[in-house]
Amino acid sequence: MEQNNLFSLAGKTAVLTGAGGFFGRYFAEALLIAGAKVFLVDITEEKLNFLSDENRGRYKKIAVDLYDRKKAEDVYQEILDKNRIDILVNNAFDFSLKTGFNNESGKLDKATFEQLQASFESGIYWAVQATQKFGFAMKKQGQGSITNICSMYGVIAPSPDLYEGTDKFNPPGYSMAKAGLLQFTRYASSFLSPEVRVNAISPGAIPNTESQSYNAITNNDPVLQRLHKKILLKRMGHPNDLVGALIFLSSDSASYITGQNIIIDGGLTVT
């Protein structure tokens, strides 16, 4: 392969779930810049109105509530009926009160079955369902790449002192779901090999300071100030810090890598 084509996704088609979220918007742009065509999947089409007209024709917006499993199944099949899919990025997760985020009801002593169930469904099953559809289609066609977006909190636990005196909170279901997604990454890599590579990216402290969504946070929030002190590189992360690994894992340059997890956290988990 020529050196300048090592990270090219030209001629490939990707499916990106959670495309309208904080990470998803940057992932979508990066996949397009790398040359891929992209199916953008999120709960409403309004969440997907962020790309410039210059890329129109190289992406398609797909609005579907992934909690509606039958609808998601039908939508995925419709994509496969008319397209060869080479790349799947499982990025979707329900950051809301439903999964116990930023609310007293989500804490360890109060977390409900329903919150844990929603965490497992959005954090694990959504990726499983997409992998079942697209992963085995890729295996049949002889090639493909899947990247699961996990979290450093699937590897370590959040420190309780991060949240003291604030209304922010990272619920147990999130850590449990992301740890499960990491193990699913290994499991799927085993059963989809050798045709399909399955890997994970685990972001560290990359706060959403750019939108008014449920999981947004301000730059002067005490949680961020406390996290900052734990990061070896002495800065908070940004979704742009993730896109290099995503393009690498999606491209042929990672053709001998499967079942792996890349932690991108500025060194936070080292200590």
Side-chain angles (χ1 to χ4, degrees), residues 45-104:
E45 190 167 321
E46 287 73 23
K47 291 193 69 174
L48 299 170
N49 293 331
F50 60 88
L51 288 171
S52 63
D53 288 340
E54 65 183 290
N55 289 311
R56 194 171 299 279
R58 294 184 47 230
Y59 66 86
K60 183 174 181 180
K61 296 180 283 189
I62 306 288
V64 58
D65 183 350
L66 296 182
Y67 280 118
D68 186 339
R69 296 187 293 275
K70 177 62 168 61
K71 181 63 174 177
E73 171 87 11
D74 292 344
V75 166
Y76 291 161
Q77 188 59 54
E78 287 174 14
I79 294 173
L80 282 173
D81 285 344
K82 298 179 180 179
N83 302 274
R84 171 191 165 108
I85 300 302
D86 308 285
I87 298 163
L88 170 64
V89 183
N90 285 312
N91 174 60
F93 184 85
D94 183 6
F95 290 97
S96 73
L97 177 59
K98 188 171 184 176
T99 54
F101 268 85
N102 301 330
N103 188 275
E104 285 288 324

Side-chain angles (χ1 to χ4, degrees), residues 152-153 159 161-162 204-207 217-237 265-269 271:
M152 69 175 179
Y153 286 144
S159 300
D161 61 1
L162 288 175
I206 303 181
I217 192 169
T218 60
N219 282 311
N220 60 354
D221 193 287
V223 174
L224 297 192
Q225 296 173 15
R226 294 163 187 166
L227 270 171
H228 189 277
K229 295 177 181 178
K230 299 175 181 289
I231 299 172
L232 298 185
L233 295 185
K234 298 305 178 186
R235 69 173 178 86
M236 306 305 293
D265 66 349
L268 191 153
T269 58
T271 58

Side-chain angles (χ1 to χ4, degrees), residues 148 150 180-190 198-200 259-260:
N148 296 321
C150 297
L181 185 56
L182 275 174
Q183 184 54 30
F184 175 68
T185 299
R186 302 181 187 102
Y187 189 97
S189 70
S190 178
V198 187
N199 294 289
Q260 302 306 306

Side-chain angles (χ1 to χ4, degrees), residues 1 5-10 12 143-145 197 247-257:
M1 183 184 300
N5 291 329
L6 274 175
F7 301 97
S8 173
L9 302 183
K12 297 182 183 295
Q143 188 176 21
S145 172
R197 297 180 296 102
I247 299 306
F248 168 63
L249 291 174
S250 300
S251 73
D252 292 340
S253 15
S255 62
Y256 201 54
I257 299 175

